[in-house]
């Protein structure tokens, strides 16, 4: 049983426990931070943990999600910075859900999605099919020295750039992988879907842990492409894209 405040009137406790079990279940290891953020946001947005209530204790929640306490703290810190929760000290302290998230001066991702007519599932599925296939195809080709150097250069730029430039450098790396397929049509299609996704990414916080994780996954994708291992490139890219998808589903749900 979690350490929380009062229950929603009229809602049987057993049903709330079942909802908690469904949301606070073990996440996949590949994108532990991103999926932890997504699960916590789902619990808050769906009212499983209502405004003013306390999240389960850190030790319990980390065990239920199957993540380290360090990963859980980083996820909670991301939600604190976004205004969804606040931490209180003392005997009755803990992490509490805010009544209303702090409003950003920028448009929220849900509003942008509505204005652009972006269907999140459609955009994420389209991106997955295109970019996973591009990574596989790039790894299947025999690359020249100039192509290999270009890819390594783009990887370095994404890993070393200032935070304000990250989205742009991230996009350039993904487009560099697409270019290595030798298909102008595929590269153009990936550029189009990146524009749709970036419009949403620009509206959610840049999370330091997510960027570190993304850079690690970028290295895995590039290494597989340079090694000519198409299967590893496909798997690494799929895992990388799922991390981004988890964050977007969390903030948009």
């Amino acid at each position: 049983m979690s350490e929380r405040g009062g229950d929603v009137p009229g809602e049987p406790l057993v049903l709330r426990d079942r909802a908690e079990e469904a949301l606070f279940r073990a996440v996949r290891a590949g994108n532990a931070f991103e999926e932890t953020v997504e699960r916590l946001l789902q619990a808050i947005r769906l009212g499983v943990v209502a405004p003013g209530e306390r999240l389960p204790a850190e030790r319990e929640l980390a065990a239920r999600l199957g993540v380290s306490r360090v990963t859980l703290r980083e996820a909670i810190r991301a939600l604190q910075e976004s205004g969804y929760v606040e931490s209180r000290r003392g005997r009755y302290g803990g992490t509490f859900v805010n009544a209303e998230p702090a409003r950003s001066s920028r448009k929220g991702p849900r509003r942008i999605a509505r204005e652009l007519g972006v269907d999140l599932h459609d955009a994420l599925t389209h991106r997955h099919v295109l970019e996973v296939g591009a990574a596989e195809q790039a790894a299947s080709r025999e690359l020249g020295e100039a192509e290999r150097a270009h890819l390594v250069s783009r990887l370095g730029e994404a890993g070393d750039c200032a935070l304000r430039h990250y989205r742009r450098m991230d996009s350039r790396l993904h487009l560099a992988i697409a270019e290595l397929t030798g298909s102008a049509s595929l590269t153009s299609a990936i550029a189009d879907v990146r524009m749709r996704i970036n419009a949403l990414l620009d509206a959610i916080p840049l999370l330091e842990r997510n960027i570190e994780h993304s850079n690690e996954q970028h290295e895995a994708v590039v290494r597989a492409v340079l090694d000519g291992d198409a299967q590893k490139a496909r798997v690494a890219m799929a895992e990388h894209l799922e991390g981004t998808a988890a964050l977007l589903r969390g903030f948009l749900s």
Side-chain angles (χ1 to χ4, degrees):
M1 191 73 65
S2 63
E3 298 180 9
R4 291 221 314 266
D7 299 309
V8 175
E11 183 177 3
L13 182 59
V14 66
L15 295 183
R16 303 196 70 202
D17 287 345
R18 288 175 185 170
E20 276 197 359
E21 289 174 4
L23 290 175
F24 296 150
R25 66 189 189 280
V27 304
R28 289 172 291 187
N31 294 294
F33 168 77
E34 292 84 356
E35 291 198 21
T36 298
V37 171
E38 180 187 13
R39 295 285 176 80
L40 295 178
L41 280 170
Q42 286 176 334
I44 293 169
R45 290 183 180 278
L46 294 175
V48 174
V49 186
E53 289 189 341
R54 181 171 47 190
L55 290 176
E58 183 183 282
R59 184 187 300 274
E60 175 194 346
L61 189 53
R64 290 169 69 175
L65 292 170
V67 299
S68 70
R69 295 176 74 172
V70 170
T71 296
L72 177 61
R73 287 169 190 158
E74 290 174 337
I76 289 175
R77 188 182 309 119
L79 297 191
Q80 287 176 323
E81 292 172 354
S82 302
Y84 286 93
V85 299
E86 64 176 343
S87 292
R88 302 176 191 169
R89 297 181 180 276
R91 182 178 178 184
Y92 300 105
T95 301
F96 291 80
V97 176
N98 285 330
E100 284 189 28
R103 294 186 178 276
S104 169
S105 59
R106 297 183 299 174
K107 295 178 181 178
R110 284 181 291 177
R111 179 178 172 186
I112 288 179
R114 288 196 303 270
E115 291 179 353
L116 297 179
V118 175
D119 181 308
L120 183 62
H121 175 73
D122 178 75
L124 293 176
T125 301
H126 191 194
R127 183 192 186 196
H128 180 93
V129 171
L130 291 175
E131 294 212 42
V132 169
E136 180 181 28
Q137 182 61 29
S140 300
R141 290 185 63 239
E142 185 172 342
L143 304 178
E145 287 304 314
E147 290 176 313
R148 298 171 73 87
H150 177 66
L151 182 58
V152 171
S153 175
R154 288 288 183 252
L155 175 65
E157 290 171 351
D160 296 335
C161 69
L163 192 63
R164 67 182 183 278
H165 299 310
Y166 186 75
R167 297 287 191 221
R168 179 165 57 89
M169 294 305 179
D170 176 50
S171 294
R172 289 178 67 176
L173 173 59
H174 281 259
L175 287 174
I177 294 170
E179 290 165 355
L180 294 182
T181 67
S183 170
S185 297
L186 179 56
T187 302
S188 177
I190 287 177
D192 288 343
V193 78
R194 288 287 307 191
M195 289 295 293
R196 297 173 69 194
I197 294 294
N198 283 356
L200 300 176
L201 287 173
D202 285 342
I204 70 174
L206 275 167
L207 307 179
E208 184 177 349
R209 180 65 189 98
N210 170 245
I211 291 175
E212 292 173 357
H213 191 201
S214 290
N215 286 334
E216 293 168 0
Q217 292 177 324
H218 284 159
E219 291 179 6
V221 174
V222 169
R223 188 183 313 114
V225 170
L226 294 177
D227 288 346
D229 192 325
Q231 180 59 22
K232 277 190 177 180
R234 181 180 185 86
V235 170
M237 180 62 84
E239 185 173 282
H240 173 52
L241 298 183
E242 180 52 35
T244 301
L247 284 183
L248 284 173
R249 287 194 299 265
F251 280 100
L252 281 166
S253 64

